[in-house]
Amino acid sequence: MSDKIPEGNRSARERLAQQREREKGREKRRRTLIVASAVVGVLGLAAVVGLIAANAGKDDGGDSASGPAVAPSGAIGEAALTLPVGAADAPSTLTIWEDFRCPVCAQFETAFRDTITELADDGQIRVEYHLATIIDGNLGGSGSLRAANAAACAQDVGKFAPYHDVLFSNQPPEPDDAFARNSRLIELAGEVKGLDTPDFRGCVEDGEHDSWVKKSDTAFREGGFQGTPTVLLNGESVFPGKGDEQISPENLKKWVAEANKGKKPGSATPAEGATTPTAPADGSAPTDGSAAPSSPAGEVSAPVAPSSAAGS
């Protein structure tokens, strides 16, 4: 028998083989397309989930400061953004804008705390504190916000001033966002008699005044101030100086005496720990403020410019 395959049969087999190869190719491409479609679907789903997560973060501001602004008890002034210390009828007002993470604010407090407390206790000035969160914006983190909220919680029970002093006395280095930890803020509250209570802890942990702090910071940024600390005596800037004179404890006393010439001092401040009355609905000042003990103060050889620019 001959080994030769008839030409017709060979052609038929070759055509069949070619057809099978084409079918295998089509099947391979079909499977590849199915796998590729599945991968694209997964990536698309991930993108959608990521978008939803991103939008969710934007909706709530990434923190608890997106709710209604709850002013602390005793806050006064426009939008209740002022925390007063001292006699409401004092002849002069010292306005101070501070950030608890601001190192120059801490230097200012160390140098002038005794002087300011003396002037307030003598009825010469009422101090009006305002809180800002510039360092959070400049360096990142949330320590300015968290510390300001905790200070507002202390204000609720008439202990803002002593807790304010404790925070600045224990301020961490500027890049260290230690105040972002509520546990640290609660720990420091233990240094103020009667402050570390379940109510205070709940207020700190819940960020009860976060939105109020955020509103205060917005007021600072829109106020045209250059940085913290910003210190105004009867509306005139006195930090780092007034006119040709640099600020010092002696000059601050002199400037207050000049402003108060011929005027009676304010009434005595309330006892330590007394709760400042809530501001009237018309935004006018209450009948008294709140005083606070001070820590030993040092001296500053020369004033320094505000440490924190108002931008972020």
Side-chain angles (χ1 to χ4, degrees), residues 202-237:
C203 181
V204 172
E205 294 286 2
D206 294 342
E208 184 172 329
H209 300 299
D210 280 2
S211 290
W212 176 85
V213 173
K214 187 175 181 181
K215 190 173 182 180
S216 178
D217 182 66
T218 298
F220 174 80
R221 293 173 186 273
E222 293 178 350
F225 305 116
Q226 298 303 309
T228 53
T230 289
V231 185
L232 311 171
L233 177 60
N234 297 325
E236 180 182 0
S237 177

Side-chain angles (χ1 to χ4, degrees), residues 145-186:
L145 172 64
R146 300 261 50 78
N149 171 70
C153 293
Q155 168 68 19
D156 283 335
V157 291
K159 296 184 180 294
F160 165 78
Y163 186 60
H164 159 278
D165 294 349
V166 166
L167 289 177
F168 276 119
S169 297
N170 291 273
Q171 184 189 75
E174 189 175 13
D176 181 359
D177 198 21
F179 282 169
R181 300 194 302 272
N182 289 331
S183 59
R184 176 57 176 161
L185 298 170
I186 292 171

Side-chain angles (χ1 to χ4, degrees), residues 104-307:
V104 179
C105 295
Q107 293 171 20
F108 171 80
E109 285 294 331
T110 298
F112 291 91
R113 183 178 297 125
D114 280 349
T115 301
I116 292 172
T117 300
E118 178 185 340
L119 290 169
D121 287 349
D122 289 345
Q124 299 300 313
I125 61 172
R126 176 173 68 173
V127 189
E128 296 188 345
Y129 289 98
H130 298 261
L131 307 181
T133 60
I134 299 173
I135 304 297
D136 285 357
N138 290 347
L139 298 183
S142 60
S144 300
L145 172 64
R146 300 261 50 78
N149 171 70
C153 293
Q155 168 68 19
D156 283 335
V157 291
K159 296 184 180 294
F160 165 78
Y163 186 60
H164 159 278
D165 294 349
V166 166
L167 289 177
F168 276 119
S169 297
N170 291 273
Q171 184 189 75
E174 189 175 13
D176 181 359
D177 198 21
F179 282 169
R181 300 194 302 272
N182 289 331
S183 59
R184 176 57 176 161
L185 298 170
I186 292 171
E187 177 186 8
L188 290 174
E191 298 187 22
V192 178
K193 183 179 179 181
L195 179 57
D196 186 7
T197 64
D199 285 345
F200 173 80
R201 290 185 173 220
C203 181
V204 172
E205 294 286 2
D206 294 342
E208 184 172 329
H209 300 299
D210 280 2
S211 290
W212 176 85
V213 173
K214 187 175 181 181
K215 190 173 182 180
S216 178
D217 182 66
T218 298
F220 174 80
R221 293 173 186 273
E222 293 178 350
F225 305 116
Q226 298 303 309
T228 53
T230 289
V231 185
L232 311 171
L233 177 60
N234 297 325
E236 180 182 0
S237 177
V238 294
F239 185 87
K242 178 177 179 287
D244 296 330
E245 297 180 293
Q246 293 185 329
I247 193 171
S248 67
E250 293 74 21
N251 278 342
L252 180 58
K253 287 182 178 180
K254 183 184 75 170
W255 298 336
V256 170
E258 291 172 349
N260 292 352
K261 187 175 181 179
K263 300 176 183 178
K264 295 181 180 180
S267 58
T269 56
E272 178 185 349
T275 302
T276 307
T278 303
D282 61 2
S284 59
T287 56
D288 59 5
S290 59
S294 62
S295 302
E299 294 293 333
V300 170
S301 57
V304 288
S307 69

